[in-house]
Amino acid sequence: GPMKSLLVAFTMFTYARAFAFVTPKARSIGASLAPSYPANHRCSGAIHIGPMRSHGGDDVEGTTPRKSVTGILYDIADGDSVPTGSFPNVQLYTKEGCTLCDKVSDVLRTLREEQPHSLSAIDITDPDKTEMFDKYKWDIPVLHMDGKYWTKHRLDVDEAKDALIQARTGDFVEQDGEPNAAEMEKRMEERKTQ
């Protein structure tokens, strides 16, 4: 019925927005399919998705250039009596506009005082991060703890607290399930040719 159609359209819209950084070919297709409408345009139930971008940082005609979000989101508070090196460093693999990444970062921020740690963002769409893009393009947010794979997609406060305690005491071990989109796509391609 109409509700199912609406749910399907919304789901497709959500996924298209989350993965709007696919390939150069898809980017050009996306750009050609994205008409611009006047501000007072009333759409007839269709969902219009803006132009897509590749991970190379190229400017798509009519859009602003991609902005890197790589950098330190927060560091250990100045004036702490314990040397910075003894605190965990969390790396958040992300890209501009990733709302799930914002949620994960908010969870970590709530534990900043109780479980001191630093949080760095690594933008997988940066030109020098193509290897990370190839691995993580369908799975951000992806988190690493002191350079070791930790988790992906979501994070709750208790999980974060446990992992930060483990990292601080030296008991954190790399977790299973690290995503690798490039390997998955390669296996799918091999299956097609068999």
Side-chain angles (χ1 to χ4, degrees):
M3 284 306 288
K4 185 175 182 183
S5 298
L6 185 60
L7 180 61
V8 169
F10 178 75
T11 303
M12 289 171 57
F13 170 76
T14 303
Y15 279 106
R17 268 309 205 204
F19 304 124
F21 54 83
V22 283
T23 64
K25 182 177 181 180
R27 180 194 76 231
S28 63
I29 292 167
S32 67
L33 294 176
S36 49
Y37 292 95
N40 63 355
H41 173 76
R42 293 206 172 250
C43 93
S44 58
I47 297 172
H48 305 292
I49 299 168
M52 299 179 184
R53 296 188 192 124
S54 76
H55 66 279
D58 316 35
D59 185 18
V60 175
E61 194 174 324
T63 65
T64 55
R66 184 194 65 76
K67 183 179 87 182
S68 174
V69 295
T70 293
I72 296 171
L73 298 180
Y74 56 81
D75 213 337
I76 306 301
D78 293 330
D80 246 316
S81 56
V82 185
T84 304
S86 67
F87 289 108
N89 179 22
V90 179
Q91 297 86 33
L92 169 63
Y93 290 86
T94 184
K95 74 174 192 78
E96 182 182 18
C98 173
T99 55
L100 286 178
C101 302
D102 295 339
K103 289 178 181 180
V104 163
S105 135
D106 290 345
V107 167
L108 288 164
R109 208 176 287 275
T110 64
L111 292 169
R112 195 172 165 194
E113 280 186 40
E114 183 184 340
Q115 295 299 323
H117 62 281
S118 62
L119 179 61
S120 304
I122 299 162
D123 190 327
I124 66 168
T125 64
D126 285 350
D128 63 339
K129 302 291 186 305
T130 55
E131 184 182 326
M132 289 293 140
F133 176 86
D134 290 342
K135 284 176 73 171
Y136 296 158
K137 61 186 167 186
W138 308 124
D139 288 294
I140 59 171
V142 173
L143 290 168
H144 284 206
M145 180 79 72
D146 295 323
K148 299 174 190 165
Y149 173 72
W150 173 16
T151 191
K152 64 184 178 184
H153 302 165
R154 291 176 180 76
L155 183 67
D156 70 38
V157 174
D158 292 333
E159 290 171 320
K161 188 175 179 179
D162 291 346
L164 289 166
I165 291 169
Q166 289 171 8
R168 185 132 183 221
T169 58
D171 297 322
F172 181 83
V173 293
E174 187 163 36
Q175 303 297 296
D176 293 331
E178 180 175 11
N180 191 334
E183 280 299 313
M184 183 183 70
E185 289 167 351
K186 185 176 159 188
R187 285 194 305 270
M188 288 170 66
E189 216 35 59
E190 288 169 357
R191 282 188 202 130
K192 284 182 188 174
T193 59
Q194 289 177 356

